[in-house]
Amino acid sequence: MLVTDETQFSKRASQFDLCAYLSTRQEQVEAALDRSLPVIYPEQIYEAMRYSLLAGGKRLRPILCLATCELMGGTIEMAMPTACALEMIHTMSLIHDDLPAMDNDDYRRGKLTNHKVFNEAVAILAGDGLLAYAFEHIVEETQNVPPDRLMKVIARLGRAVGAAGLVGGQVVDLHCEGACDVKIETLNFIHAHKTAALLEASVVSGGIIAGASDADVQRLSQYSQAIGLAFQIVDDVLDITSTQEELGKSVGKDLRAQKVTYPSFWGIEESKRQAQQLIEQAKSEVAGYGDRALPLMAIADFITARTH
Amino acid sequence: MLVTDETQFSKRASQFDLCAYLSTRQEQVEAALDRSLPVIYPEQIYEAMRYSLLAGGKRLRPILCLATCELMGGTIEMAMPTACALEMIHTMSLIHDDLPAMDNDDYRRGKLTNHKVFNEAVAILAGDGLLAYAFEHIVEETQNVPPDRLMKVIARLGRAVGAAGLVGGQVVDLHCEGACDVKIETLNFIHAHKTAALLEASVVSGGIIAGASDADVQRLSQYSQAIGLAFQIVDDVLDITSTQEELGKSVGKDLRAQKVTYPSFWGIEESKRQAQQLIEQAKSEVAGYGDRALPLMAIADFITARTH
């Protein structure tokens, strides 16, 4: 790119209306999720699955999947069943993580958690049902996508949620609870598996559906790993800064009391710098695609914008 | 078939050495399961998954899958990853069913249940990991099978384990616990979903992998639904007759105290008759395939042979 082109590209990037983009996509995803899971007999299990699946949230994973599918020349329609499946998998991980045997949370996003509304048995089964249905839904509902691409998507999703992904990250996280000698490598492992693995599957699967080359998939994978880690660092930073404001605790005291986070290794300023660097790295991976990459670039920026 | 052919076929069927057949297949399945899941970091989750996956059992689902694949002209190798996936799914359902929030069982097949050896959180995650890995394993390990066939297998497996299968059956079963007004339609629903759905997926997926026609799949489906229901009826009968022998309780008393079972609707003799009728029906579905169907016919007979 020439310098003038680059300047114009930066200008268009800064003018891209991410808010409108996210809001349109979110509506489309909500409608598709609502249609994906009708209530039939035995009603309670479908209601339990729907309760958590339709409990709101940013729908970041489906939106990323749709965005990369479009970026690589595919359509929203081609990727929508996979986008919904990603949200089903994400929802199952939230339902199971909230269980008494795990994080024992009563509320999520201001609503009672699944096992508080139904019961533990139903919540476990609702998670299992969503996970199984995710794979069925991709196969049954996807149209105009060659089966070999869908096979790759299914393998990626399976890996992202299993012991080599979400499940593995959660196990290590549970082990580290209350431990004071957690290494940064372990923290990286937890977040690479608990957060980044499914984000990567979301971004990459959209590309695969559209027929992305191995080189494209590699770029998308780098992009998603970088935003995944940045997302977690920013989350850790916000956790501390909001505690500071709300409780007036000193940061040093908070860091000592806190479970292990990135700021506990790097401090707040260095954490912010690392997050910003990861975002720049993510954007540089997709900048070469030009205007079609504007949504992915804006989503990356959106992540660090939260620190300000 | 001429009468003489039929007589000879019956003779060959009665001479078929099911014991040797099952034992060979079981060894092959055990070896494949052992290879399917190596232990890597974080070790505990892989050990928890392996603990239950390799805890023995008849391996009936994988063996049925391999048998129908051969019946329809395919090879053991083509179906082995799917056979292993079926056992992974079955194992996940056992681990989750045994949890304190569900059936709260401390022992299974004479060994401590997963959550007693590890803990509840790890047991939930081990189940999730096995379910996710089942789909990944099929895609990553299957060779020489066209992707459109594998897609059908994945959709069938997803449906068999989700709210339209195992999960739905378990939810209704939990609701009926302690209820005295359970209808036979409800009992049929529970067993059609908790037991027969995954048996059907096992039988049908082997056929699909080998390229079975829709008509063949239909026959295999009928066969598996019949043996699935017969299996449950026989289980119910054995439950009562063994109680009678061991505790010397009168059957009538036992029936009143017992949770709802087929003998509680039909009595023991009629239940046995119904099971036998289902087995004859199952065998008649596959008899037309001749000698290649001997394993499926012998497996069907094996189910009612348990009543004697």
Side-chain angles (χ1 to χ4, degrees):
Chain A
M1 263 192 224
L2 296 171
V3 178
T4 350
D5 283 353
E6 260 185 44
T7 317
Q8 284 178 354
F9 182 58
S10 293
K11 203 176 159 196
R12 284 198 302 279
S14 68
Q15 284 168 350
F16 179 77
D17 189 350
L18 181 66
C19 214
Y21 176 85
L22 291 178
S23 144
T24 309
R25 286 289 173 273
Q26 206 175 328
E27 268 176 43
Q28 291 169 307
V29 170
E30 291 293 339
L33 286 173
D34 189 27
R35 278 193 307 271
S36 73
L37 200 61
V39 176
I40 56 173
Y41 179 82
E43 289 81 6
Q44 192 193 34
I45 189 66
Y46 291 96
E47 280 159 8
M49 289 160 76
R50 286 178 63 89
Y51 174 79
S52 294
L53 186 63
L54 303 174
K58 294 183 291 292
R59 310 305 189 189
L60 186 60
R61 289 157 195 81
I63 292 173
L64 281 168
C65 175
L66 300 174
T68 52
C69 185
E70 283 196 299
L71 168 63
M72 291 294 153
T75 64
I76 297 271
E77 290 69 30
M78 289 164 76
M80 191 57 94
T82 299
C84 289
L86 286 158
E87 196 67 16
M88 290 171 197
I89 290 174
H90 177 55
T91 304
M92 115 45 203
S93 78
L94 300 182
I95 295 174
H96 283 188
D97 280 5
D98 287 339
L99 286 167
M102 303 258 217
D103 299 346
N104 195 19
D105 281 316
D106 290 355
Y107 287 92
R108 175 170 295 275
R109 294 181 194 136
K111 291 180 71 175
L112 283 170
T113 46
N114 201 289
H115 65 274
K116 297 301 282 184
V117 175
F118 301 91
N119 59 51
E120 272 186 66
V122 171
I124 295 167
L125 292 168
D128 295 346
L130 283 168
L131 180 52
Y133 191 54
F135 295 100
E136 182 189 349
H137 188 68
I138 292 176
V139 175
E140 295 287 12
E141 299 300 324
T142 305
Q143 285 175 348
N144 305 317
V145 178
D148 58 320
R149 292 185 196 167
L150 286 190
M151 297 271 290
K152 283 186 196 165
V153 166
I154 285 164
R156 290 251 176 191
L157 261 60
R159 200 177 315 137
V161 66
L166 281 173
V167 161
Q170 176 70 356
V171 162
V172 176
D173 198 13
L174 289 170
H175 273 280
C176 290
E177 245 171 41
C180 49
D181 58 345
V182 177
K183 291 184 187 142
I184 194 152
E185 289 80 14
T186 310
L187 193 65
N188 282 336
F189 180 91
I190 292 171
H191 297 311
H193 291 75
K194 269 193 82 165
T195 312
L198 195 58
L199 283 176
E200 188 191 1
S202 307
V203 167
V204 166
S205 63
I208 291 173
I209 287 169
S213 69
D214 287 350
D216 287 330
V217 166
Q218 187 57 27
R219 279 186 177 286
L220 293 174
S221 167
Q222 301 286 357
Y223 164 88
S224 52
Q225 284 175 34
I227 65 165
L229 189 51
F231 189 86
Q232 192 56 51
I233 296 172
V234 170
D235 242 29
D236 284 357
V237 168
L238 285 176
D239 208 52
I240 289 173
T241 51
S242 64
T243 308
Q244 237 181 339
E245 280 160 23
E246 286 162 21
L247 304 180
K249 286 200 288 181
S250 79
V251 175
K253 206 174 158 192
D254 200 45
L255 280 175
R256 281 192 297 275
Q258 196 91 7
K259 66 170 190 168
V260 181
T261 62
Y262 285 104
S264 71
F265 282 103
W266 295 331
I268 291 184
E269 285 315 310
E270 175 63 13
S271 296
K272 283 185 182 178
R273 210 187 58 77
Q274 293 268 0
Q276 191 55 47
Q277 201 178 316
L278 284 163
I279 293 303
E280 294 308 326
Q281 201 180 309
K283 285 162 66 181
S284 74
E285 291 287 347
V286 295
Y289 298 120
D291 280 14
R292 282 180 304 150
L294 287 179
L296 288 190
M297 313 246 321
I299 288 171
D301 274 330
F302 172 64
I303 286 169
T304 41
R306 299 192 305 153
T307 52
H308 301 316
Chain B
M1 259 192 227
L2 296 171
V3 177
T4 349
D5 283 352
E6 261 186 44
T7 317
Q8 283 178 353
F9 181 59
S10 293
K11 201 175 160 197
R12 284 199 302 279
S14 68
Q15 283 169 348
F16 179 77
D17 188 348
L18 181 66
C19 213
Y21 176 86
L22 291 178
S23 143
T24 310
R25 286 287 174 273
Q26 205 174 330
E27 266 177 44
Q28 290 170 309
V29 170
E30 291 293 338
L33 287 172
D34 188 28
R35 279 194 308 271
S36 73
L37 199 60
V39 176
I40 56 172
Y41 180 82
E43 288 81 5
Q44 194 194 33
I45 189 66
Y46 291 96
E47 281 159 7
M49 291 160 76
R50 285 177 64 89
Y51 175 78
S52 295
L53 186 62
L54 302 175
K58 295 183 291 293
R59 311 305 191 190
L60 186 59
R61 290 155 195 81
I63 291 173
L64 281 169
C65 174
L66 300 175
T68 51
C69 185
E70 283 196 298
L71 169 61
M72 291 295 153
T75 64
I76 298 271
E77 289 69 31
M78 287 164 79
M80 191 56 94
T82 298
C84 289
L86 285 157
E87 195 67 17
M88 289 172 197
I89 289 173
H90 176 55
T91 304
M92 117 44 205
S93 78
L94 300 181
I95 296 174
H96 283 189
D97 279 5
D98 287 339
L99 286 167
M102 304 256 219
D103 300 345
N104 195 21
D105 281 317
D106 289 356
Y107 287 92
R108 177 171 292 275
R109 294 181 194 134
K111 290 179 72 176
L112 284 170
T113 45
N114 200 289
H115 65 276
K116 296 302 281 185
V117 175
F118 300 91
N119 60 52
E120 271 186 67
V122 170
I124 295 167
L125 291 168
D128 296 346
L130 282 168
L131 179 52
Y133 191 55
F135 295 101
E136 183 189 348
H137 188 68
I138 293 175
V139 175
E140 296 286 12
E141 299 300 324
T142 306
Q143 285 174 349
N144 305 318
V145 178
D148 59 320
R149 292 187 196 167
L150 286 189
M151 297 270 289
K152 283 186 197 164
V153 166
I154 285 164
R156 290 252 175 188
L157 260 60
R159 198 177 318 136
V161 64
L166 280 173
V167 161
Q170 175 72 355
V171 162
V172 176
D173 197 14
L174 289 171
H175 274 280
C176 290
E177 247 172 39
C180 49
D181 58 344
V182 177
K183 291 184 187 142
I184 194 154
E185 289 79 15
T186 310
L187 194 65
N188 282 336
F189 181 92
I190 292 171
H191 297 311
H193 291 75
K194 268 193 82 164
T195 310
L198 194 58
L199 283 176
E200 187 191 2
S202 306
V203 168
V204 166
S205 63
I208 292 173
I209 287 169
S213 69
D214 288 349
D216 288 330
V217 166
Q218 188 57 28
R219 281 188 175 284
L220 293 174
S221 168
Q222 302 285 357
Y223 164 87
S224 52
Q225 285 174 33
I227 64 163
L229 189 51
F231 189 86
Q232 192 56 52
I233 296 173
V234 170
D235 242 29
D236 285 357
V237 168
L238 284 177
D239 209 51
I240 290 174
T241 49
S242 65
T243 307
Q244 239 181 334
E245 281 160 23
E246 286 162 19
L247 304 180
K249 285 198 289 182
S250 79
V251 175
K253 206 173 160 192
D254 200 46
L255 279 175
R256 282 194 295 276
Q258 197 92 4
K259 66 171 191 169
V260 181
T261 62
Y262 285 103
S264 70
F265 282 103
W266 295 330
I268 290 186
E269 285 315 310
E270 175 63 12
S271 296
K272 283 186 182 178
R273 211 188 57 78
Q274 294 269 358
Q276 192 55 47
Q277 200 177 318
L278 285 163
I279 293 304
E280 295 308 325
Q281 200 180 310
K283 285 162 67 182
S284 75
E285 290 289 345
V286 295
Y289 298 120
D291 280 14
R292 282 181 304 151
L294 288 178
L296 288 190
M297 313 245 321
I299 288 170
D301 275 329
F302 173 64
I303 288 169
T304 42
R306 298 194 305 154
T307 52
H308 301 317

